[in-house]
Amino acid sequence: MTLQLEPDVAFGMHPDYGVAAAVADARPFLDEVLRKHHFRYSEYLDVYLLADNTPHNTTVRTVARATREFQDAGLSVAADPRIMIPPPVPTPDGVAARATRPGQSVTALTGELN
C-alpha cells in the first residue's frame, strides 16, 4: 500500500475570493464535479471558486456534497474547517457585537431574549 501525501481535491478559504477548490491534476471528472456544484475555474488564480455572494449555509452544503461525490469515486479530499465558520453578523455603528460563549445551546440563547 502506498501512502498518498497530496489529496486529489482540496477546499479552502481564500481571503479575497471566498471558498476555493484546488485539484491535484487536470482530470475531466474533477472539473465536471466542481462545475456541477457551481464552482467556476479562475485561470488567474488556477483554482475553482464558488461565487462570493453564495449564502453560508449553501456554501457548506455545496462543499459537503462535492466532497461526498469525490469520496464516492474513491478520491481523497481535504477541506479547511474554517469553511464551517459563519461570517460575522454585521452590527449597527456603535453597538458592540455579542460575544459568543462556547457550549451555549440555541435554547439557552433563545431564553436570553425574554
Side-chain angles (χ1 to χ4, degrees):
M1 181 172 106
T2 62
L3 179 63
Q4 184 173 350
L5 300 177
E6 183 176 281
D8 295 300
V9 181
F11 292 98
M13 293 297 298
H14 188 283
D16 297 322
Y17 301 107
V19 175
V23 296
D25 55 12
R27 284 186 264 173
F29 177 73
L30 302 176
D31 179 72
E32 178 185 320
V33 171
L34 289 169
R35 289 183 187 278
K36 172 182 166 185
H37 292 283
H38 308 288
F39 282 86
R40 298 291 173 247
Y41 182 70
S42 167
E43 285 190 36
Y44 174 70
L45 298 171
D46 190 29
V47 295
Y48 291 82
L49 299 171
L50 196 56
D52 60 354
N53 61 350
T54 304
H56 176 71
N57 291 343
T58 302
T59 297
V60 171
R61 284 192 304 271
T62 299
V63 171
R65 287 179 181 139
T67 297
R68 172 60 64 197
E69 193 165 341
F70 288 129
Q71 289 175 334
D72 287 348
L75 300 171
S76 62
V77 180
D80 184 341
R82 290 178 293 178
I83 292 171
M84 297 294 295
I85 301 171
V89 176
T91 59
D93 290 337
V95 176
R98 184 180 167 314
T100 58
R101 290 184 253 170
Q104 192 170 26
S105 70
V106 173
T107 304
L109 289 171
T110 305
E112 287 183 8
L113 295 175
N114 296 333

